[in-house]
Amino acid sequence: MADLKHKTVAGMIWSAIQKFGVMGISFVSNMVLARLLSADEMGCIGLLAIFILLSNTFIDGGFGSALIQKKQPTQSDYSTIFWWNMGLSVVLYGVLFLAAPWVAAFYKMDILCDVLRVQGLVLIFNALCLIQNNQLRKKLKFKLLATTNIAAAVVSVVVAIVLAYMGWGVWSLVAQQLVLSIMGALLLWIVGRWRPSFVFSVSSFKELFHFGFFILLSNLINTFCNNIQGLLIGRIYNPATMGYYSQARKLEQVSSNSLSQIVDQVAYPVLAEAQNDKAYMQNILKKLITSLAFVVFPLMMVMALTARPLIVLIYSAKWLPAVPYFQILCIAGTASCLQGLNYYAVAAVGKSGSLFRWTLLKRLCGLVFVVGGLLLWGMTGLLSGMVMTSFFIYLVNAYLVEQFVGYGVLRQLKDLVPVTLLTLAAFAVGYLVQVPLSECGMFLRGGVAFVAFVIVYLGVAKVFRIEAMAEALMLLGQVKNKFTKNRK
């Protein structure tokens, strides 16, 4: 277990470097592009996201998770899934190519036909490197993943900014995605060093499909429901509204998803390796969940508190209509950051069938929340439905962890109470200190609120010795020591 702990910390370091590196590059890119492009142009890509994401999910087919979950996959296993992925990517690209006119007609935007046909090429390039990506993840070689992903992101961002400056509009965003996909595939083929054999094993396919099929169905449902908002907004409203929503969602996900995905990416293979030791799994989960909550909960709420000056500072004043969208999404982010850890803990013990069945329930209820909210209260209702869905999914995933890992829902919620109460108290203080400053500028009010929030949150946590703070600092210390050791 000591070696596993060592791998976890090392993986966390490079996963963080990768995520924050790519996130930082994308963040800067988004700041620049938001000033060069209009809300309509930014919204166009968001309208098509559901089609690309569903296709990518279908290509992976849950086989990536199956290969990670399997103790010792063979060359035959890897080669079989590689050829399956490649064949399916070509078929799905053909479907998107033929369906593009109908998609454009659905949104009543002719340009989307050509955009989808060009953008859809990313499916083939993504399929080229799925096996290399999963192999590196399984071996916890996140240093190589970080290097390749950051390099690909830098090149794609430079291309997008140059083209946007030259007046290419929405095509600069299409080029960004294509270059990112092509560079990512090329670099992973270089560093991954794995090459497929000319073999397709039916027995390997059946074995991996047995586990991966339910993961596939779960991922398809999750992807569709996570992106149904874009489909609804694009059809009922206009590209500008979709642009405001997309920018708000990107900014929210930078905080809620980036940190959690770093943890999830490392936690899944680690939990899969420890799947026969439930007590150890429970201990890992508790530490990761409380540490993640200690960082993400206050981050989401302080951004909601200072949303107006934050949006203007990052995107410029023309994006102010995105402020209320962003504030509501930040509330959803406090729950969504914990969904993945619980989900992957269940996947790690091989319960993909249960994950699928419960995913159906989670997502059906989520659709009711979102569509019902949209019909009753418009955009505010849709976003509120997303908040309800986020909390509901978290609770269901936690229930499944209770059933299959033994870390109970009430125990998990009890562990989160101190961080939750502390976050709410800091938010209340930050909000109240702004009241006497109502005549001052937004940046002064936001700065005062931010400082008050941080002082209260960290001060109270230290005085009362909040356990989650100790866990977070301990994990940070391990990461720092490991990073220092690696540098030496």
Side-chain angles (χ1 to χ4, degrees):
M1 290 302 177
D3 183 58
L4 186 58
K5 181 178 180 181
H6 171 81
K7 290 180 179 179
T8 303
V9 174
M12 199 81 74
I13 293 172
W14 287 107
S15 183
I17 291 173
Q18 171 193 322
K19 196 65 186 179
F20 284 117
V22 173
M23 180 186 70
I25 295 165
S26 299
F27 185 73
V28 172
S29 168
N30 209 32
M31 287 179 63
V32 177
L33 292 174
R35 287 166 167 79
L36 295 174
L37 302 176
S38 67
D40 287 331
E41 291 169 330
M42 298 290 279
C44 282
I45 295 297
L47 296 176
L48 299 176
I50 189 170
F51 303 103
I52 301 298
L53 291 172
L54 278 174
S55 298
N56 273 325
T57 301
F58 204 91
I59 291 168
D60 179 62
F63 290 117
S65 296
L67 288 168
I68 291 175
Q69 200 271 344
K70 187 175 180 178
K71 285 291 186 180
Q72 293 181 328
T74 65
Q75 171 70 5
S76 179
D77 293 330
Y78 284 123
S79 298
T80 297
I81 302 308
F82 174 82
W83 294 116
W84 169 262
N85 289 341
M86 289 306 304
L88 191 57
S89 68
V90 173
V91 171
L92 288 175
Y93 174 70
V95 171
L96 288 183
F97 188 92
L98 295 174
W102 284 275
V103 173
F106 175 81
Y107 288 123
K108 301 177 182 178
M109 294 183 64
D110 293 338
I111 192 176
L112 293 183
C113 178
D114 292 334
V115 169
L116 182 57
R117 285 175 170 175
V118 176
Q119 187 183 0
L121 290 170
V122 302
L123 302 180
I124 297 173
F125 294 109
N126 288 343
L128 269 171
C129 59
L130 279 173
I131 296 300
Q132 289 87 341
N133 188 294
N134 284 312
Q135 281 188 332
L136 293 176
R137 284 186 63 200
K138 185 174 180 64
K139 297 174 183 177
L140 299 179
K141 293 186 177 181
F142 293 101
K143 180 178 180 179
L144 290 177
L145 283 173
T147 304
T148 56
N149 287 331
I150 290 174
V154 169
V155 175
S156 67
V157 164
V158 171
V159 169
I161 292 176
V162 170
L163 293 180
Y165 184 78
M166 293 172 61
W168 280 45
V170 68
W171 291 105
S172 61
L173 300 175
V174 176
Q176 180 181 16
Q177 295 194 16
L178 273 176
V179 172
L180 178 65
S181 182
I182 294 170
M183 285 295 299
L186 177 63
L187 292 173
L188 280 173
W189 269 75
I190 294 173
V191 303
R193 297 183 180 180
W194 177 86
R195 299 295 181 266
S197 302
F198 290 99
V199 60
F200 188 94
S201 170
V202 175
S203 59
S204 290
F205 184 85
K206 288 181 177 179
E207 179 189 355
L208 295 167
F209 186 77
H210 179 71
F211 175 85
F213 175 70
F214 291 108
I215 295 292
L216 165 64
L217 293 179
S218 298
N219 288 343
L220 283 173
I221 294 170
N222 286 331
T223 301
F224 176 78
C225 293
N226 283 336
N227 294 276
I228 187 66
Q229 300 86 5
L231 199 67
L232 295 172
I233 295 170
R235 178 63 179 176
I236 297 174
Y237 295 98
N238 53 50
T241 302
M242 183 63 200
Y244 295 132
Y245 166 79
S246 296
Q247 291 301 91
R249 188 72 189 272
K250 286 178 186 177
L251 187 56
E252 175 263 320
Q253 289 183 326
V254 162
S255 303
S256 64
N257 285 1
S258 294
L259 287 171
S260 62
Q261 285 175 3
I262 291 170
V263 177
D264 295 346
Q265 188 178 31
V266 178
Y268 180 48
V270 170
L271 290 170
E273 192 169 339
Q275 60 186 275
N276 296 322
D277 189 342
K278 296 297 190 296
Y280 187 64
M281 288 185 72
Q282 292 172 27
N283 187 47
I284 292 175
L285 279 172
K286 178 184 176 180
K287 289 183 177 181
L288 291 178
I289 286 173
T290 54
S291 298
L292 189 61
F294 183 80
V295 177
V296 177
F297 282 15
L299 187 58
M300 300 311 300
M301 297 313 295
V302 78
M303 289 202 308
L305 184 66
T306 60
R308 190 175 178 84
L310 187 63
I311 292 288
V312 173
L313 181 64
I314 295 174
Y315 296 142
S316 78
K318 71 179 181 181
W319 292 95
L320 278 173
V323 168
Y325 302 165
F326 175 66
Q327 290 175 316
I328 298 175
L329 289 172
C330 282
I331 299 173
T334 58
S336 65
C337 72
L338 301 179
Q339 292 172 6
L341 275 172
N342 286 285
Y343 181 90
Y344 286 116
V346 179
V349 296
K351 300 298 181 180
S352 58
S354 295
L355 282 175
F356 169 66
R357 289 189 290 273
W358 281 94
T359 294
L360 285 176
L361 173 64
K362 290 184 297 187
R363 293 308 185 174
L364 179 61
C365 291
L367 284 175
V368 172
F369 295 150
V370 170
V371 176
L374 175 65
L375 295 175
L376 293 174
W377 300 292
M379 278 296 295
T380 301
L382 180 146
L383 295 169
S384 299
M386 291 177 65
V387 173
M388 295 175 63
T389 300
S390 185
F391 279 90
F392 182 70
I393 291 173
Y394 162 68
L395 290 173
V396 170
N397 289 355
Y399 168 76
L400 292 176
V401 166
E402 179 176 357
Q403 297 299 305
F404 300 116
V405 180
Y407 186 27
V409 177
L410 292 180
R411 178 183 164 195
Q412 190 171 146
L413 291 174
K414 181 180 178 182
D415 290 337
L416 291 171
V417 165
V419 174
T420 303
L421 293 178
L422 182 55
T423 301
L424 292 175
F427 181 88
V429 173
Y431 178 81
L432 291 174
V433 297
Q434 293 184 86
V435 176
L437 304 174
S438 58
E439 300 299 322
C440 300
M442 72 170 75
F443 289 105
L444 176 60
R445 295 198 307 273
V448 170
F450 176 82
V451 171
F453 185 104
V454 172
I455 290 175
V456 171
Y457 187 80
L458 295 180
V460 174
K462 185 174 182 179
V463 169
F464 287 92
R465 298 180 180 178
I466 301 296
E467 184 179 359
M469 183 179 187
E471 296 287 0
L473 290 175
M474 184 181 299
L475 182 60
L476 181 62
Q478 292 173 348
V479 170
K480 180 181 177 182
N481 291 337
K482 179 64 181 176
F483 183 70
T484 303
K485 183 178 179 181
N486 285 343
R487 290 184 64 184
K488 293 179 180 179

